[in-house]
Amino acid sequence: MNHFHLIDGVLHAENVPLADIADAVGTPVYVYSRATFERHAQVFRAALSGLDNPHLAFAVKSNPNLAVLKILARQGYGADVVSGGEMDRALAAGMAAEDIVFSGVGKTAEEMTRALKVGIGQFNIESEEEGVELAALAAALGLTAQAVLRINPDVDAGTHGKISTGKADNKFGVGIDRAPGIYARLSTLPHLHMRGVALHIGSQLTSLEPLETAFQKVGILLQELRGAGHEVTHVDLGGGLGVRYRDGDNPPEPAAYGAMVARVTKDWGVRLMFEPGRVIAGNAGVLLTRVIRVKPGAGKAPFVIVDAAMNDLARPALYDAWHDFEAVVPNGQKMMANIVGPVCETGDTFAMGRNIDPVAPNDLAIFRTAGAYGATMASTYNSRGLVPEVLVDGEKFAVVAERIAPATILAAEHVPDWLK
Ligand SMILES: *Cc1c(COP(=O)(O)O)cnc(C)c1O
């Protein structure tokens, strides 16, 4: 459920007509709904109500906007971060350091040192080498790092290859067969407190089955670790729940996910941790765009050229992703069209041969389900500006990330003296 809906035939975000935002801020622009973020955060929490005190860490990479993180902080969420930059954002949003989990295969010594100094809650270690380095950095500071070992359960998440992370040949985590040995060796290191395991098998999962398979493997690993005398108090089950991008998508309901987790983990006796991203943010945002021009195509379908492009919303170019396209003032009819952006790449195509609301030059339209992995992946390719973000709350809205103009980006470039 989300709050981007028609009121008297005109698309609104909550109670704000989208045209008001286009007038005030220009297009393209991401528009987020506070009520939708809050609802999703609450639905996900409620889905886990059968568990004892789960820790919820929003996956910052899905939508790192400071105002968005503030909404989630107020909902009692911590953060899952994958860089020092994301850590700084979570802290700036008021999340407690101890509620932040630091994931990622390439944490640098500098990032780990800063995270130790601010008292980050947990490091999700992705290799033995990283654990050894973290222990040494903690020793140098006279601190103890709380850590879990990310395991790679070798299951096929059944999602797009570029967002699948739990197959043996993916770069993430350590092979589950090697985990007991690595866990044992890391557990002997002073200044490193190994307290459990983590996994995250991929994103936009549309079936619970691979998750359940992976969790069962973790259950067996837990017994093995405990059998070997290790303490295991925390298991981080990652994120990955899919959302509905188009009619016919049928992702699992959070409640079904929660019930499955409760069933599979009932004897584990650990504090469970979660890292939801897309399921919280996906449907909480749209990309508002304006039609520049409509150009005849070779076939019957014309090209609808919009002012948003692959640099603003990369998912279609990266993952062949589908985003519903809707006119802000639909007239009830349909036309067949190809929807493209202005960037000079054929990959800058949002849809081919799609049945859409008829649109004409200057009309406003949205791409739906753009709240996750949208603005955060934006670039300035083709020397376009960096897309702004707006947050709506009932009748009001605010710019929560300014448009960065091409001139500002140009001003940060320099021609060396010896070229002048
Ligand atoms: C990307 C990521 C997530 C979030 O995944 P979603 O599919 O958005 O829920 C969680 N944990 C880790 C380690 C990630 O890399």
Side-chain angles (χ1 to χ4, degrees), residues 32-333:
Y32 305 135
S33 154
R34 174 182 174 171
T36 309
F37 268 108
E38 289 182 347
R39 185 185 147 76
H40 291 175
Q42 289 160 8
V43 165
F44 191 79
R45 183 184 291 287
L48 302 177
S49 58
L51 306 176
D52 182 25
N53 190 27
H55 180 262
L56 301 182
F58 176 63
V60 172
K61 77 174 193 279
S62 67
N63 190 323
N65 182 278
L66 191 58
V68 166
L69 296 184
K70 188 80 192 175
I71 293 171
L72 290 158
R74 291 170 63 133
Q75 291 292 317
Y77 277 62
D80 169 50
V81 304
V82 295
S83 70
E86 286 192 353
M87 179 178 79
D88 291 341
R89 284 171 173 273
L91 293 169
M95 288 168 172
E98 65 181 40
D99 291 335
I100 301 176
V101 171
F102 198 163
S103 303
V105 294
K107 305 176 194 79
T108 65
E110 192 261 325
E111 285 175 319
M112 290 193 280
T113 297
R114 280 208 307 122
L116 283 163
K117 284 184 178 161
V118 303
I120 211 92
Q122 177 175 294
F123 291 85
N124 290 10
I125 295 174
E126 304 233 11
S127 62
E128 182 166 0
E129 293 77 4
E130 179 190 334
V132 169
E133 188 171 354
L134 176 60
L137 293 167
L141 292 168
L143 298 169
T144 296
Q146 303 297 323
V148 299
L149 182 63
R150 178 166 176 182
I151 56 114
N152 184 322
D154 193 22
V155 297
D156 185 348
T159 185
H160 191 282
K162 288 187 181 163
I163 47 176
S164 185
T165 55
K167 284 289 288 171
D169 55 1
N170 295 144
K171 67 181 174 180
F172 298 99
V174 303
I176 195 157
D177 302 342
R178 297 175 56 227
I182 295 173
Y183 199 94
R185 290 192 290 281
L186 291 179
S187 293
T188 64
L189 299 177
H191 299 277
L192 185 65
H193 178 222
M194 295 304 295
R195 63 183 201 179
V197 298
L199 77 166
H200 171 73
I201 62 169
S203 197
Q204 184 55 14
L205 306 193
T206 51
S207 161
L208 292 178
E209 227 177 270
L211 287 166
E212 180 163 352
T213 304
F215 296 170
Q216 266 156 356
K217 289 189 178 194
V218 168
I220 293 166
L221 176 63
L222 288 194
Q223 286 176 3
E224 189 174 344
L225 291 174
R226 284 181 173 145
H230 299 300
E231 181 191 350
V232 182
T233 56
H234 292 72
V235 175
D236 185 335
L237 296 179
L241 266 196
V243 300
R244 185 174 287 108
Y245 281 98
R246 59 185 293 188
D247 279 353
D249 282 355
N250 197 15
E253 291 296 327
Y257 170 80
M260 180 275 283
V261 169
R263 175 166 50 76
V264 174
T265 66
K266 69 177 181 315
D267 299 325
W268 287 11
V270 296
R271 183 167 194 208
L272 290 174
M273 308 171 74
F274 298 86
E275 303 168 347
R278 190 186 311 268
V279 73
I280 306 286
N283 279 308
V286 301
L287 175 58
L288 179 60
T289 186
R290 196 181 283 284
V291 176
I292 298 174
R293 188 168 296 121
V294 179
K295 166 184 170 172
K300 281 207 185 103
F303 289 103
V304 169
I305 305 166
V306 296
D307 66 359
M310 64 187 281
N311 69 298
D312 306 305
L313 177 60
R315 298 189 65 261
L318 270 181
Y319 318 127
D320 298 315
W322 176 291
H323 288 269
D324 276 343
F325 179 85
E326 290 169 31
V328 166
V329 188
N331 68 4
Q333 322 226 296

